[in-house]
Amino acid sequence: MLGACVFLLCACGKTTVNIITPPDASVRAQFGAEQLKTTLEEAGYNVRMHTAASAGKVKGKTIFIHQKNDEANLKKEGFSIKTTGELTELTGFDGNGVIYACRELIDHVNGNKNLDFPKQVTDAPEMVLRGACVGLQKTTYLPGHNVYEYPYTPENFPWFYDKEQWIKYLDMLVENRMNTLYLWNGHPFASLVKLKEYPFALEVDEATFKKNEEIFSFLTKEADKRGIFVIQMFYNILLSKPFADHYGLKTQDRNRPITPLISDYTRKSVAAFIEKYPNVGLLVCLGEAMDTYEDDVEWFTKTIIPGVKDGLKALGRTDEPPVLLRAHDTDCKRVMDAALPLYKNLYTMHKYNGESLTTYEPRGPWSQIHKDLSSLGSIHISNVHILANLEPFRWGSPDFTQKAVQAMHDVHGANALHLYPQASYWDWPYTADKLKDGKRQYQLDRDWIWYKVWGRYAWNCRRDRADEVDYWKKELGEYYGADSNTAANILEAYEQSGEIAPKLLRRFGITEGNRQTLLLGMFMSQLVNPYKYTIYPGFYESCGPEGEKLIEFVEKEWKKQPHVGELPLDIVAQVIEHGDKAIAAIDRAAASIGKNKDEFDRLRNDMHCYREFAYAFNLKVKAAKLVLDYQWGKDMANLDAAVPLMEQSLEHYRKLVSLTKDAYYYANSMQTAQRRIPIGGDDGKNKTWEELLVHYEKELTNFKANLAMLKDRANGKGVATVKTIQALPAANVKLAGATSLVKLDKGVRLFSNVPGAVEDLAPELVGLQAFTFNGDKQREVGTTIEFEAKEPVKLLVGYFRDDQKKYAKAPKLETDAAANEYGQAEAKLTNAIRIDGMPLADVHAYHFPAGKHKLLLPKGYLMVFGFTSADITPRNAALAGAEETMDWLFY
Ligand code: ADA
């Protein structure tokens, strides 16, 4: 029978290729060989598989696979390929080395369509971990749940149970030489393990639990075969909902102390997980639901590590599987210093440019964090986190990526990569694209180039740029069935457009965090007074080259001071040029696309979107510059001149609306009140350009009206109305526990341990029932407010404007996704109260419905000014002095 087949195949004129594997080939080596076989067969060859023992004397083209870790010239995961005559020998240092050697030949067969394999190649990856993540997260919160809380169920994540899709994903990772897969979830344990001591903690039903066990083992087995290590990420301190309900606790509360119960539950969860899934690593986020660095150290050393050790002990293991520690929302170096004596195999991870992609020239305090961590000597992973400024358009600039990976090595000292999806992280596996047939597009299909660019440079970022251009032309030409010229144009479009969002965010943004969705645009008020929106500290210093914000630039112009670094007007000039070049290139390519035409049309549309966006932004920046000139020179002509620029900006924005209306469901995939810039994303609103247009039209109308009013005033016509500010009425609530209250006014003391009294305060606050505290006690145990309200109320909390450790930290969405849980993220009144000898303070309002409530506030000095039901108009109460800001012109 076999003879007959061989004869038949030979009769069809197929060339035969022999693949010889070692008799004791590892699972990975076998997998590599199988993949090679499939590729050769698909390319029209007849493949015969042999083992070294049974091969005998084979004739013709032969690929001999070896796995040897004693070859002097080979490194971990490395390989060599040697071809002499008809014989090509592949030698992998380990299983992964064999897989990658096979992939090298696969790429050769696919790219060159021949068997002229390289005479001699030796290669190995630069980065030791190269991986991507998938979020078991959703665009909105589940009812009754908070951020990150998504049990693993077929209802929540149908795709998670789709084996075919996983195979496709894992194969994509292998194709890109990636060796790690991360799964992100708040608290995965209660979906994956049962605890004898806490059986009620399980948050999925029996049938789902079985499915989870099954799919987890499937996934880890298939991943392992491909040389991929699966790592489960989790946040702390999160409790399963049924566990929390059982004990009357919240699932997460940043300000609660560590208790023996929650520590024991978590320790047992971790132990059970390690015991049950010995091949799955853990990625630990010591936050966001945990407040102080002291707690972080304690939690990691006394709960997490003991949990891992308990699991290992139960298995009788003495080795230490890797445990990865995120630097997000903690002092990672401090935690590492405390943990390393207890557990050696620790890795660190930190965000590359925060939650956006902004630069390949990182610097400043965030680079220092990387340097401190990489100098510990353990493996340091660079995390290309949520790309908040790239959502939702296509992005794939090889040049930018290569330079970014070089910076990871050279500036940060990182030697591993963790990669988020390019867009739509919270909506995995789908993209935001609206397809003509009403189906959803898969990220894996659309964003192939995203994984390819990062995978390629994680392997080796020192490749020659000229060769790289050829390489990407070939890849793009292959994908779009296009000739080299056309492919060069597509590449040009990617590289030009790839600069737009990074440059604009780093020069004009409020934050790199997903608090901001850049590609929806920004308000004039945000351009002329960014400080009002709380620029995230460290962002400008870290996420781009040195330069000036628009507001600084204009000030220097007026003061005739020298400019430094990257300047805002240069940047907008550059981005419109990038936009023009991108569309010129993509339009040139359009006539010669042979394959994937629909996808090309979408890519082309994205390029046009980027260009309109750049134009709209440029004109707005120019208008904002004139408004800032008015701030300094009081020349009304500047304001007049801003109007047509804003109008023209809107024209481009309208084009953007029409380009996106039928192309995109949304811009941002995190569709919650956590998104604040350009405008709140509460209840999934304000996620399309069409929705934003209305707001941008309104800001122009407001501006025109305010300008008319200014002119009237200048002509002595309008009457300047001076609004008197009313005190907020105190709301009636029933307080639980012993509380000491005082009627708020000048001269009262709010801290029993501080001599200073209230020196000055915003009129809104006068007469409210403020609490008095002992600040030292607040530092030690935090502040708890328990009350019952008959109607919806706001609790007013004062945070000092000072980052010394003794003061409680105001809510910050960049490190605490729950920081707007009560609508408290932004200060309502800034510079609103001064106590003798203490810094000025801002007032945040925590909103509560009628009912009983218990609120834990962070540790450190803070003030509580009592309750009101009245609306509060946000404003700068200006106790620091009335700085003139121009944002009012747009309200
Ligand atoms: C911020 C961000 C979250 C998440 C988090 C993290 O809080 O808003 O969406 O990305 O960081 O885990 O880094």
Side-chain angles (χ1 to χ4, degrees):
M1 179 64 196
L2 190 70
C5 283
V6 171
F7 171 76
L8 274 176
L9 289 166
C10 293
C12 303
K14 287 193 178 185
T15 308
T16 296
V17 181
N18 300 291
I19 299 180
I20 306 177
T21 51
D24 55 349
S26 63
V27 178
R28 293 180 188 180
Q30 281 173 29
F31 174 79
E34 274 302 319
Q35 283 219 322
L36 183 54
K37 173 175 180 261
T38 310
T39 306
L40 286 165
E41 282 173 349
E42 280 169 7
Y45 299 101
N46 172 38
V47 181
R48 286 205 223 144
M49 302 295 282
H50 312 266
T51 66
S54 69
K57 252 193 164 316
V58 292
K59 272 205 199 121
K61 187 74 199 170
T62 301
I63 300 166
F64 207 135
I65 294 177
H66 313 275
Q67 184 175 325
K68 289 187 202 158
N69 60 10
D70 53 2
E71 296 270 301
N73 61 337
L74 291 187
K75 298 194 191 119
K76 214 166 169 257
E77 294 190 282
F79 64 84
S80 69
I81 300 175
K82 219 183 285 165
T83 304
T84 332
E86 294 270 73
L87 177 66
T88 298
E89 289 194 83
L90 306 187
T91 310
F93 177 84
D94 43 26
N96 284 28
V98 174
I99 292 179
Y100 301 141
C102 292
R103 290 296 326 173
E104 193 75 13
L105 293 198
I106 290 171
D107 288 351
H108 177 95
V109 173
N110 287 336
N112 301 292
K113 320 273 181 246
N114 64 35
L115 297 179
D116 305 335
F117 294 145
K119 292 267 168 293
Q120 173 79 53
V121 180
T122 306
D123 207 352
E126 274 178 321
M127 287 188 150
V128 294
L129 290 180
R130 306 166 306 281
C133 82
V134 165
L136 281 112
Q137 322 256 20
K138 295 179 85 67
T139 55
T140 53
Y141 299 169
L142 292 180
H145 282 276
N146 214 321
V147 64
Y148 311 130
E149 296 173 5
Y150 302 102
Y152 290 11
T153 67
E155 295 73 42
N156 287 340
F157 307 110
W159 54 266
F160 184 64
Y161 303 87
D162 182 340
K163 292 185 177 165
E164 221 175 281
Q165 238 189 103
W166 272 125
I167 295 293
K168 204 172 155 193
Y169 187 84
L170 295 171
D171 283 346
M172 178 280 289
L173 293 182
V174 179
E175 213 180 297
N176 292 314
R177 295 4 174 215
M178 292 196 180
N179 62 5
T180 20
L181 160 65
Y182 298 83
L183 302 173
W184 282 56
N185 182 267
H187 184 72
F189 305 114
S191 299
L192 297 168
V193 290
K194 287 181 188 166
L195 304 179
K196 208 166 60 247
E197 298 79 356
Y198 307 104
F200 45 84
L202 190 70
E203 56 187 344
V204 296
D205 60 34
E206 266 312 311
T208 303
F209 186 72
K210 287 226 161 62
K211 278 194 179 143
N212 289 348
E213 282 179 315
E214 213 254 301
I215 196 73
F216 230 73
S217 341
F218 165 82
L219 184 58
T220 46
K221 199 165 146 232
E222 287 298 328
D224 184 56
K225 221 200 240 177
R226 291 164 174 79
I228 296 168
F229 185 41
V230 178
I231 296 177
Q232 176 67 61
M233 181 271 176
F234 63 105
Y235 289 90
N236 289 280
I237 304 169
L238 261 69
L239 306 174
S240 90
K241 176 98 171 111
F243 176 92
D245 288 349
H246 184 92
Y247 291 104
L249 298 170
K250 287 178 81 175
T251 49
Q252 50 179 306
D253 188 342
R254 186 176 177 86
N255 302 313
R256 81 174 144 211
I258 296 171
T259 65
L261 175 68
I262 59 181
S263 169
D264 187 60
Y265 164 69
T266 308
R267 177 173 174 166
K268 293 210 158 73
S269 298
V270 170
F273 183 84
I274 294 279
E275 197 182 334
K276 186 159 176 180
Y277 302 104
N279 299 321
V280 182
L282 286 176
L283 169 60
V284 187
C285 178
L286 291 178
E288 307 179 351
M290 185 154 49
D291 191 15
T292 62
Y293 294 160
E294 288 77 12
D295 278 6
D296 293 349
V297 170
E298 187 183 328
W299 187 251
F300 195 58
T301 55
K302 299 201 180 133
T303 297
I304 305 291
I305 292 179
V308 173
K309 287 190 168 175
D310 291 347
L312 293 173
K313 201 164 147 213
L315 292 171
R317 271 170 76 172
T318 49
D319 64 320
E320 289 186 343
V323 173
L324 287 56
L325 180 64
R326 292 187 65 200
H328 174 62
D329 194 29
T330 189
D331 180 346
C332 191
K333 167 94 170 57
R334 181 165 163 188
V335 180
M336 284 292 282
D337 288 344
L340 278 169
L342 307 173
Y343 199 89
K344 292 280 166 286
N345 204 8
L346 296 176
Y347 294 45
T348 54
M349 177 191 282
H350 193 38
K351 294 173 184 173
Y352 171 59
N353 289 157
E355 296 169 15
S356 287
L357 190 62
T358 60
T359 189
Y360 38 77
E361 295 173 291
R363 61 191 183 103
W366 298 357
S367 283
Q368 195 54 47
I369 297 177
H370 283 283
K371 286 179 202 163
D372 289 348
L373 295 176
S374 60
S375 65
L376 288 174
S378 42
I379 289 168
H380 181 57
I381 308 161
S382 190
N383 170 11
V384 177
H385 198 75
I386 294 182
L387 290 307
N389 66 332
L390 303 186
E391 282 197 303
F393 307 141
R394 286 158 180 75
W395 194 97
S397 168
D399 185 38
F400 196 111
T401 310
Q402 182 170 9
K403 289 176 178 154
V405 179
Q406 285 168 0
M408 288 173 182
H409 286 283
D410 300 344
V411 183
H412 289 163
N415 55 351
L417 171 79
H418 168 282
L419 183 67
Y420 255 64
Q422 190 237 292
S424 295
Y425 165 71
W426 305 89
D427 201 10
W428 183 266
Y430 301 114
T431 72
D433 297 74
K434 278 186 190 169
L435 299 190
K436 282 188 211 127
D437 57 8
K439 294 209 179 104
R440 298 293 302 269
Q441 190 174 21
Y442 286 95
Q443 295 184 31
L444 215 46
D445 295 332
R446 183 188 107 151
D447 297 330
W448 62 272
I449 195 166
W450 173 254
Y451 293 101
K452 218 175 189 67
V453 287
W454 289 102
R456 182 166 176 82
Y457 298 116
W459 180 278
N460 177 5
C461 68
R462 314 286 172 191
R463 302 169 196 263
D464 174 71
R465 169 78 180 145
D467 294 346
E468 287 310 284
V469 170
D470 287 341
Y471 173 84
W472 290 107
K473 274 178 11 192
K474 213 162 166 201
E475 290 297 308
L476 288 162
E478 185 68 33
Y479 186 83
Y480 288 111
D483 58 29
S484 170
N485 251 341
T486 307
N489 279 322
I490 302 173
L491 178 60
E492 163 88 352
Y494 265 124
E495 295 198 330
Q496 292 293 342
S497 64
E499 293 284 343
I500 296 175
K503 282 186 174 170
L504 288 180
L505 190 78
R506 71 178 183 232
R507 197 56 35 234
F508 299 98
I510 304 293
T511 174
E512 37 54 63
N514 57 1
R515 178 160 68 95
Q516 171 161 12
T517 304
L518 173 82
L519 291 173
L520 284 174
M522 286 176 74
F523 285 103
M524 288 293 287
S525 57
Q526 291 159 348
L527 294 172
V528 300
N529 187 15
Y531 301 118
K532 181 176 170 195
Y533 299 86
T534 317
I535 293 180
Y536 188 43
F539 163 48
Y540 273 85
E541 294 72 23
S542 308
C543 288
E546 191 178 8
E548 294 172 8
K549 301 181 190 87
L550 184 65
I551 193 166
E552 294 165 338
F553 173 83
V554 176
E555 180 174 350
K556 286 190 173 182
E557 288 276 285
W558 280 86
K559 291 184 173 167
K560 302 214 177 327
Q561 290 170 347
H563 293 293
V564 182
E566 192 174 86
L567 303 181
L569 295 185
D570 294 343
I571 286 297
V572 285
Q574 287 168 29
V575 297
I576 60 172
E577 198 180 324
H578 289 309
D580 284 340
K581 286 188 175 157
I583 64 161
I586 206 76
D587 290 352
R588 278 198 301 270
S592 325
I593 300 302
K595 256 182 17 198
N596 288 313
K597 281 195 175 145
D598 287 348
E599 180 54 20
F600 177 81
D601 289 343
R602 290 189 286 267
L603 174 68
R604 186 181 181 190
N605 193 56
D606 281 356
M607 296 300 142
H608 283 261
C609 289
Y610 258 127
R611 191 234 181 212
E612 293 313 320
F613 181 80
Y615 267 75
F617 209 99
N618 165 55
L619 287 155
K620 240 180 174 174
V621 165
K622 298 239 164 79
K625 148 106 181 29
L626 289 168
V627 173
L628 289 166
D629 280 336
Y630 169 78
Q631 178 176 333
W632 287 92
K634 290 291 167 302
D635 180 354
M636 208 85 81
N638 283 327
L639 297 183
D640 281 329
V643 172
L645 294 175
M646 284 179 72
E647 279 167 350
Q648 288 161 31
S649 169
L650 271 179
E651 282 314 307
H652 288 282
Y653 202 85
R654 285 194 190 98
K655 283 192 197 147
L656 184 58
V657 171
S658 70
L659 287 171
T660 51
K661 207 156 45 111
D662 300 322
Y664 280 104
Y665 289 107
Y666 57 79
N668 50 302
S669 60
M670 186 196 73
Q671 294 157 8
T672 65
Q674 249 178 280
R675 210 283 306 290
R676 311 307 305 156
I677 313 284
I679 193 167
D682 310 48
D683 305 321
K685 294 212 178 69
N686 296 317
K687 56 177 181 273
T688 66
W689 297 265
E690 198 175 7
E691 284 170 283
L692 261 295
L693 177 63
V694 183
H695 297 287
Y696 292 139
E697 285 171 341
K698 184 84 178 40
E699 77 173 342
L700 177 58
T701 315
N702 292 346
F703 180 62
K704 285 180 179 166
N706 284 325
L707 180 53
M709 187 191 75
L710 276 181
K711 284 184 178 165
D712 282 352
R713 253 196 233 166
N715 299 332
K717 274 200 232 145
V719 196
T721 44
V722 183
K723 269 200 232 147
T724 42
I725 293 167
Q726 303 293 327
L728 294 165
N732 229 342
V733 301
K734 209 160 112 205
L735 291 168
T739 340
S740 138
L741 299 176
V742 61
K743 196 166 170 200
L744 195 54
D745 209 341
K746 282 184 194 167
V748 304
R749 279 178 59 201
L750 295 178
F751 294 101
S752 57
N753 62 326
V754 170
V758 175
E759 245 178 24
D760 204 357
L761 74 172
E764 289 94 329
L765 303 177
V766 174
L768 287 170
Q769 291 290 312
F771 291 54
T772 62
F773 298 116
N774 178 316
D776 288 339
K777 207 164 150 222
Q778 286 184 304
R779 284 188 75 176
E780 218 174 285
V781 295
T783 303
T784 304
I785 311 283
E786 233 179 313
F787 64 95
E788 185 173 359
K790 289 226 158 51
E791 51 174 354
V793 287
K794 297 170 195 89
L795 174 70
L796 304 180
V797 179
Y799 288 99
F800 293 97
R801 293 169 66 101
D802 193 304
D803 57 10
Q804 277 183 67
K805 209 167 167 247
K806 67 192 246 194
Y807 300 114
K809 299 249 172 315
K812 204 182 274 170
L813 281 164
E814 282 80 355
T815 50
D816 175 15
N820 202 29
E821 191 183 349
Y822 304 97
Q824 80 274 32
E826 290 114 18
K828 289 275 184 212
L829 302 173
T830 51
N831 301 303
I833 186 161
R834 184 181 18 246
I835 290 179
D836 188 22
M838 296 181 91
L840 274 171
D842 298 336
V843 180
H844 294 245
Y846 289 66
H847 301 61
F848 294 92
K852 278 192 180 166
H853 303 282
K854 181 173 177 181
L855 176 70
L856 302 189
L857 290 163
K859 283 185 182 165
Y861 281 71
L862 56 74
M863 294 166 286
V864 175
F865 305 124
F867 297 85
T868 185
S869 301
D871 282 340
I872 308 164
T873 310
R875 71 180 190 102
N876 179 356
L879 298 192
E883 62 201 38
E884 197 189 12
T885 60
M886 285 295 115
D887 48 296
W888 72 269
L889 280 167
F890 302 95
Y891 308 133

